[in-house]
Amino acid sequence: MVRTMSAHVAHPLDVAVEGGTLHAIVWEPVDEVLGEVVLVHGVTSSLHAWDDVVPLLPGYRLIAPDLRGRGASNGITHPAGMAAHAADLAALLDAANVTSSLVVGHSMGAFVSLAFAYLYPERVSRLLLIDGGLPLDVPAGLDTDTLVAAILGPTAERLSRRFASVDDYLDFWRVHPAFRDDWSATLEDYLAYDLVDDGAGMLRPATSYEITAADTLDMNTGDVLPAALAALAHPTRFLTVPRGLQNEEPGLYAPDYLERLLPTVPGVVHSRIPGFNHYTIVLSGGGAAIVAAEIREQVAAASDSV
């Protein structure tokens, strides 16, 4: 199926990867191509997390996967972890005929993007990390379930729930503190896409708890990301927001923690974006406008350095 979105035509792309088939969309610009960008979503999200961003980038060729275990790629559950996601991105870029591009990651997608830049450095021109990618401030030594609960809280609990209808699921999200002031038709479509049949007459989120737990554990305790940060050579922008997954302050990266963290990654250029939470920096019109402006700036910088 080919769909038109603003100044793009959306083409589905299915790619054979280890464990199954990775689903993606390539938004092809209807006019001149100004640049190519890979968009990588978060831990329980999907490629439609970028639906507010895409229309703001006419002229850009945009490639976004449903990461393994999520969305229409939810049949791929093994292997999990950052290296597996990075290998999937390499296969996706091959299939999309992309040599090297700006890679943009939100939440866990930022960690995946960082791992991809480390394991496939020639495929990445620059990195844009949105409220993720750098180590989180969590205690060492937590067991997997406690670690997932500490980082994701009710987001992880939602994965075990069942819903009678799409409307039932939307009602669940309408009262979520992150979206009380940022509800939209685009958000409804994004949320509805997340649902799959549970095989017993109910609907469930596409993402399984098992792959979420495995990815979260690897993201925080695995070897790839520390090595990636130690070897980081790509120009990198890092955006954080003041509120977290429940619209709570201080969010994933508290100011005092950032003061300690940022000197350990001197090549990373950081900006704190006021007025947003972990979701709405991407899943709202205002957040999408900021992200789109950053993408244009980073693509231009990459072109200037060639």
Side-chain angles (χ1 to χ4, degrees):
M1 178 180 178
V2 176
R3 295 191 301 124
T4 300
M5 176 184 278
S6 183
H8 296 89
V9 177
H11 294 277
L13 179 61
D14 293 315
V15 182
V17 296
E18 184 178 3
T21 301
L22 189 81
H23 177 69
I25 286 180
V26 180
W27 285 280
E28 299 281 1
V30 297
D31 296 316
E32 177 186 6
V33 177
L34 303 175
E36 293 179 311
V37 183
V38 177
L39 305 169
V40 190
H41 67 73
V43 66
T44 63
S45 188
S46 74
L47 60 82
H48 289 294
W50 305 102
D51 280 359
D52 278 323
V53 175
V54 170
L56 304 179
L57 293 168
Y60 292 82
R61 186 172 187 248
L62 307 167
I63 303 102
D66 278 335
L67 293 176
R68 58 174 50 229
R70 285 90 177 166
S73 303
N74 73 320
I76 319 170
T77 56
H78 298 286
M82 301 301 104
H85 290 300
D88 290 348
L89 290 185
L92 174 59
L93 265 62
D94 287 344
N97 296 313
V98 176
T99 302
S100 176
S101 75
L102 169 68
V103 179
V104 182
H106 172 235
S107 189
M108 189 193 81
F111 292 89
V112 171
S113 300
L114 189 65
F116 181 56
Y118 171 61
L119 295 171
Y120 303 88
E122 72 284 355
R123 310 306 297 267
V124 177
S125 60
R126 302 174 78 89
L127 289 168
L128 174 58
L129 310 178
I130 304 170
D131 216 36
L134 269 62
L136 299 175
D137 188 16
V138 294
L142 299 180
D143 65 81
T144 300
D145 289 341
T146 304
L147 179 66
V148 172
I151 296 171
L152 299 179
T155 296
E157 185 272 334
R158 167 182 61 88
L159 300 179
S160 65
R161 296 190 58 170
R162 297 297 181 265
F163 301 88
S165 66
V166 172
D167 286 341
D168 188 26
Y169 190 57
L170 295 181
D171 287 344
F172 168 84
W173 280 104
R174 285 182 202 280
V175 297
H176 194 288
F179 295 115
R180 283 176 182 159
D181 299 323
D182 283 291
W183 196 262
S184 68
T186 304
L187 178 63
E188 289 191 2
D189 290 343
Y190 159 77
L191 294 171
Y193 177 79
D194 183 47
L195 293 173
V196 296
D197 192 330
D198 77 340
M202 299 288 281
L203 299 171
R204 66 170 178 84
T207 306
S208 73
Y209 176 82
E210 287 72 21
I211 197 164
T212 297
D215 281 340
T216 302
L217 182 66
D218 186 56
M219 188 174 76
N220 288 276
T221 66
D223 296 330
V224 171
L225 289 167
L229 282 173
L232 183 61
H234 298 84
T236 301
R237 281 281 281 144
F238 176 48
L239 308 183
T240 62
V241 292
R243 300 199 299 276
L245 282 76
Q246 296 292 311
N247 205 38
E248 81 285 3
E249 293 186 356
L252 293 184
Y253 295 94
D256 59 340
Y257 176 62
L258 282 171
E259 287 184 9
R260 303 192 304 273
L261 175 65
L262 291 172
T264 69
V265 284
V268 173
V269 179
H270 170 255
S271 293
R272 191 77 158 172
I273 310 298
F276 296 94
N277 62 50
H278 182 73
Y279 288 112
T280 58
I281 186 58
V282 170
L283 290 164
S284 73
I290 289 170
V291 170
E294 287 283 352
I295 288 173
R296 288 191 291 269
E297 182 177 327
Q298 294 304 311
V299 171
S303 297
D304 289 344
S305 65
V306 173

